[in-house]
Structure formats: structure tokens, C-alpha cells
Amino acid sequence: MSTDRTRRRVLLIRHGQTEWSLSDQHTGRTDIDLTAKGEQDAAALKGITERIGLHQPFVFASPRRRAQRTAELAGLTVDETNELFAEWDYGDYEGLTRVQIQADHDPTWAIWTHGAPGGESVADMTRRVDAAVDRVESQLGASDVVVVSHGHFSRSFICRFLRWPISQGADIDLRPAGSALLAEAGGDRRLSELRGPVGEWAKPTSI
């Protein structure tokens, strides 16, 4: 464990590319595998905790196999698998792209403001992510933390950790196999680093 607990850090890792993330389909409950590129990008994360100076961090992960496989390929041993860290439940919009949803249902729709009918509302997601933040904070007194999860979940977590409304996740771009480093020191919290997949610039996302 880190000997300096005055500076506490959380590393968020988004799972590697899947066929649905490649096509911008909303993937919540669907348990889908990584693509070959997703596996390659996840494997390139190996050693990331050492590179940023995390010592024996506690690792949380979503139960979805795309997150579990990313952790495995990145050389991380998952200490706790928890549904709190699962992706947003998209309900009726599972498997659809934002373009399809706006064309067929509501031209103004965005997950950050409208939530998902039949799934989690913005309020639902805020409550769940707040519980995930609480769970991570309960561990931070003993060690730094890694969370291997999903795109919308991770962007939501960043917002709630920083005490922002969840809707500001729309302004954060976290690509498959990308990572975000959060830090807290002296009561101050900040987003210290946001990276795309190893060796790639972050690319714009439509969702």
C-alpha cells in the first residue's frame, strides 16, 4: 500500500473496444466480448499502475466480461466485482445508437439529460454512482484504487467524485481502453489526467 495517504488516487479504466462500442451502440446489460483491437489495447495497459506510481492498489470491476477481460489483459487482479460499477442501464435503448434514438424517439435525446426509458434515469444513475463513490472512498483510507468499468459509468463517476452534476459527463471524453486519474489531497479533488488508448490520441465520441 502507498505510504503517503495524504494524497489519494483513483484510476478509472474503460474496457477495450467491442463491436458495439465501435458502432456507437449503447451497451449496458449486454455481455459482449472485446474485439481483437480491444484485446490488444487492453494488453497495452499492462503496467499502468506502476507507470503512474500506484502501489498495490485495490481493484474494483464491473461484472461484465468486457471489463473483467480488460482487467485480466492489463495484468490487474480484481479484488471486488460489484454491480455498482456496471454500465448505465439503457433499458429500451439497449443496442441502439444515439442517431437511431434521436431519429425514432426524440430528436433532443441525450443520456445525460433524459436517461433511459425502461432503464436508469439520470436520478437513478446519480444514486448508484454516488454509492460507488462511497464504496471507493471507504477503501481510499487504506490504498489507492483502480476501477475497471465502462464509458458512461466512468464519466459519471468522475463527475460525482468531483461533486459535479452527472450531466457534466457529456463534456468528458473517455475512449475504449482509455483511463482517467482522479486525485484528492487536503480536501481538494481534481481530474489529474485523461488518456486515450495507449499510443493513440482520444477521438471524438457521439454518445
Side-chain angles (χ1 to χ4, degrees), residues 30-44:
T30 304
D31 222 0
I32 190 170
D33 291 319
L34 302 181
T35 61
K37 183 182 187 309
E39 296 227 342
Q40 178 182 347
D41 289 343

Side-chain angles (χ1 to χ4, degrees), residues 101-116:
I101 295 165
Q102 290 180 335
D104 298 339
H105 301 277
D106 181 351
T108 68
W109 182 86
I111 192 66
W112 304 105
T113 51
H114 292 64

Side-chain angles (χ1 to χ4, degrees), residues 36-116:
K37 183 182 187 309
E39 296 227 342
Q40 178 182 347
D41 289 343
L45 289 165
K46 190 168 289 187
I48 188 172
T49 58
E50 291 83 358
R51 289 194 295 274
I52 62 177
L54 302 188
H55 180 62
Q56 297 182 357
F58 190 94
V59 180
F60 294 98
S62 161
R64 303 298 173 260
R65 64 174 178 260
R66 56 195 184 274
Q68 294 282 323
R69 179 62 172 156
T70 296
E72 177 188 3
L73 289 167
L76 299 169
T77 300
V78 175
D79 296 296
E80 181 176 315
T81 297
N82 195 318
E83 282 283 349
L84 284 176
F85 302 97
E87 183 58 295
W88 202 311
D89 183 346
Y90 301 118
D92 299 343
Y93 293 161
E94 181 80 4
L96 301 180
T97 67
R98 183 173 179 175
V99 171
Q100 289 174 317
I101 295 165
Q102 290 180 335
D104 298 339
H105 301 277
D106 181 351
T108 68
W109 182 86
I111 192 66
W112 304 105
T113 51
H114 292 64

Side-chain angles (χ1 to χ4, degrees), residues 3-181:
T3 56
D4 179 10
R5 301 311 311 144
T6 61
R7 184 166 182 260
R8 312 187 305 167
R9 292 181 292 176
V10 181
L11 176 67
L12 301 171
I13 295 174
R14 182 180 174 184
H15 64 76
Q17 182 194 83
T18 68
E19 290 292 347
W20 281 19
S21 68
L22 183 60
S23 57
D24 283 339
Q25 291 171 261
H26 287 82
T27 320
R29 300 180 307 270
T30 304
D31 222 0
I32 190 170
D33 291 319
L34 302 181
T35 61
K37 183 182 187 309
E39 296 227 342
Q40 178 182 347
D41 289 343
L45 289 165
K46 190 168 289 187
I48 188 172
T49 58
E50 291 83 358
R51 289 194 295 274
I52 62 177
L54 302 188
H55 180 62
Q56 297 182 357
F58 190 94
V59 180
F60 294 98
S62 161
R64 303 298 173 260
R65 64 174 178 260
R66 56 195 184 274
Q68 294 282 323
R69 179 62 172 156
T70 296
E72 177 188 3
L73 289 167
L76 299 169
T77 300
V78 175
D79 296 296
E80 181 176 315
T81 297
N82 195 318
E83 282 283 349
L84 284 176
F85 302 97
E87 183 58 295
W88 202 311
D89 183 346
Y90 301 118
D92 299 343
Y93 293 161
E94 181 80 4
L96 301 180
T97 67
R98 183 173 179 175
V99 171
Q100 289 174 317
I101 295 165
Q102 290 180 335
D104 298 339
H105 301 277
D106 181 351
T108 68
W109 182 86
I111 192 66
W112 304 105
T113 51
H114 292 64
E120 288 177 296
S121 67
V122 174
D124 292 335
M125 189 61 173
T126 299
R127 281 191 292 270
R128 178 159 68 84
V129 174
D130 282 350
V133 170
D134 288 345
R135 180 69 192 93
V136 166
E137 287 177 338
S138 73
Q139 181 62 35
L140 278 174
S143 69
D144 292 318
V145 168
V146 176
V147 177
V148 185
S149 186
H150 309 269
H152 282 144
F153 173 86
S154 297
R155 292 156 71 185
S156 299
F157 188 99
I158 291 168
C159 291
R160 299 309 295 157
F161 186 86
L162 297 176
R163 307 183 183 98
W164 298 345
I166 206 168
S167 58
Q168 288 190 237
D171 301 320
I172 300 168
D173 191 8
L174 185 62
R175 304 307 300 159
S179 62
L181 184 63

